[in-house]
């Protein structure tokens, strides 16, 4: 009876693990397709004429309630504070956040920022379609421009995506790269990313 129970438990566990692995594989495939679509949209907008019609919110705007766009909270966007407790992170589902790497002259990248600001409808559509799969959607350029959706504050002043493993390795490989879990700078939570 003992051996039969052990065999049944092993079979159930194997079935559970196989089901979970298949689900993770399915999610990974969807994320890869979304990332390919995002790359195409970014290329399309970067090739377009710049416009100053889109309102741009910088990370500093989000950190100041007087200049932040309308913010809300959702249960899955939490920030871990220094004492280890988590609180809801205010985010904008209507805006991206932009951050320039230290030393980047805003005047030299204003056109790229203007172009990328038009990505918000795409990000919002993907976020609404796949809310449990996508945490952040980044676009980071070699010139030091970084944007993220949903918009949020909390970026360290010296943040430079070009120094992050997910950026460097994807650039070096020249193909899709799944970064191992790492601590995300805004929330201090462990995440995985596809670049």
């Amino acid at each position: 009876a003992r051996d039969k129970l052990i065999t049944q438990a092993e079979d159930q566990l194997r079935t559970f693990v196989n089901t979970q692995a298949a689900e993770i594989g399915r999610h990974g495939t969807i994320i890869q397709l979304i990332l390919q679509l995002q790359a195409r949209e970014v290329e399309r907008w970067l090739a377009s004429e710049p416009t100053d019609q889109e309102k741009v919110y910088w990370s500093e705007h989000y950190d100041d309630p007087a200049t932040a766009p309308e913010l809300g909270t959702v249960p899955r966007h939490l920030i871990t504070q220094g004492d280890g407790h988590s609180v809801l992170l205010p985010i904008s589902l209507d805006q991206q956040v932009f951050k320039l790497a230290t030393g980047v002259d805003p005047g030299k990248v204003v056109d790229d920022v203007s172009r990328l600001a038009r990505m918000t409808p795409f990000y919002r559509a993907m976020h609404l379609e796949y809310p449990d799969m996508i945490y952040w959607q980044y676009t980071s350029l070699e010139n030091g421009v970084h944007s993220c959706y949903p918009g949020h504050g909390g970026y360290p002043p010296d943040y430079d995506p070009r120094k992050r493993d997910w950026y460097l390795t994807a650039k070096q490989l020249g193909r899709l790269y799944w970064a191992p879990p790492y601590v995300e700078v805004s929330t201090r939570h462990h995440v995985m990313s596809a670049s």
Side-chain angles (χ1 to χ4, degrees), residues 24-44:
I24 289 169
R26 186 180 71 80
H27 285 186
T29 300
I30 291 170
I31 288 170
Q32 289 177 30
L33 291 172
I34 292 169
L35 185 58
Q36 290 171 349
L37 288 172
Q38 178 178 331
R40 285 190 186 128
E41 282 294 298
V42 167
E43 288 173 348
R44 182 172 74 92

Side-chain angles (χ1 to χ4, degrees), residues 71-85:
L71 300 174
T73 57
V74 294
R76 65 187 303 251
H77 282 90
L78 300 168
I79 185 168
T80 301
Q81 298 178 318
D83 62 3
H85 289 89

